[in-house]
Amino acid sequence: MKPLTLSRYILDDTIGRSQELQSLDSHVQTAMDWLCLAQDSQPNGGVSLRYSLLKGWDASYPETTGYIIPTFFHYAVLTQRDEYFLRAIRMADWELSIQSQDGSFNGGPLGSGYDSFVFDTGQIIFGLIAAHKTTRKDQYINAATKAGKWLIRAQDGDGAWRKCTFHSIPHTYYTRVAWALAELGAYVGDDTYSKAASQNIDWALAKQRNNGWFDCAGFTERAHSAPYTHTIAYTIRGILETALLLNKKACLDAVKRSADALTSAICTNGSYFDAYNSDWRPTSSVSCLTGNAQIAIILLRLYKITGVVEYFKTAQKAIRFLCQHQRLNGPPQTLGAIAGSYPIWGRYQRFAFPNWATKFFVDALLLEQTLSPSPTDPN
């Protein structure tokens, strides 16, 4: 397929056209259809990194395919449709085919030339565990434990990762790797993985300021001063989920500090700016839609834990903004997808529809559907 012309997308976002909200089921189904198309665009079973309005479909992306797998298994159960189960298995089998002998996975999309990457390896563990839970086939959990052992060998003594990282620097958003290790440890009953996860969380918590801000949350050292909401949310979610798995209740206070700041930062239209500085002040005038979805998930998870309705209301507001900007008409290459940025020319994944934006959108919608605050709740 040839890349699409930019003019219609730029015009839509310039005018700021809004669309009528559909049922949450309809938004989810259209998004899942797009994720299926992103998988079908590739010959190997992986999911294309993104659809670019400039270049077309990109190669399969091992990292995000890894954490898309649980979403497909979950949706297969909800819909009772084997198609999603079979697609998830194809993704997991492709991951097995590209794992290195030492247990690691290379970074970037297929063929990008990157060597073993800690973050990418951690995200693929989520998919391998999900595949084993569903099929009980040993090859998936064997690959997951092999990957987990490599991550532990790559970890520094203070709990951070510096080797095999993006730009060879430590990042607090690697708490999502800690989460993967914590899930692996809990699943196989081996606290070696859990201890490594706890160490990283402790390192990351030492980087948090009193206002809930985390240092070192950017992709680069320069970006640490004003990271995308995408990596801010990665950081917070990793701590939240690891804390729950390891029963580190004290960590929840740290998560709440960040969540409270994000609850206050949301715009009246339900969007977040794409990046914030250490005072939680926006450093741009556009939105990172991926971050919007991820923040909504964090707030919904906290609502489920705490019962604080404000978390639910803020998450719902963020999700409605995303629904208004999901592509619900036009060519199939973007139909149902969430763009990297709004407007489409924003910095984050400019002129592109990354697969993880739509994945997190689906996750947020499905989570909202399972939760509904009580009208008598005093919070």
Side-chain angles (χ1 to χ4, degrees), residues 213 218 223-232 262 265 272-289 291-292 295 341 347-348:
W213 172 263
H224 284 342
S225 62
Y228 288 120
T229 51
H230 173 47
T231 51
I232 291 173
L262 288 168
Y272 285 94
F273 293 107
D274 76 346
Y276 290 85
N277 65 22
S278 59
D279 293 321
W280 293 106
R281 295 184 182 278
T283 59
S284 76
S285 58
V286 301
S287 181
C288 168
L289 297 180
N292 245 56
I295 292 168
S341 291
R347 294 182 306 156
Y348 185 75

Side-chain angles (χ1 to χ4, degrees), residues 209-221:
R209 303 188 186 188
N210 290 335
N211 65 353
W213 172 263
F214 282 93
D215 291 323
C216 303
F219 284 126
T220 65
E221 287 185 334

Side-chain angles (χ1 to χ4, degrees), residues 74-86:
H74 181 44
Y75 201 61
V77 172
L78 290 177
T79 59
Q80 294 295 292
R81 289 175 60 182
D82 287 343
E83 174 192 359
Y84 301 108
F85 168 84
L86 295 173

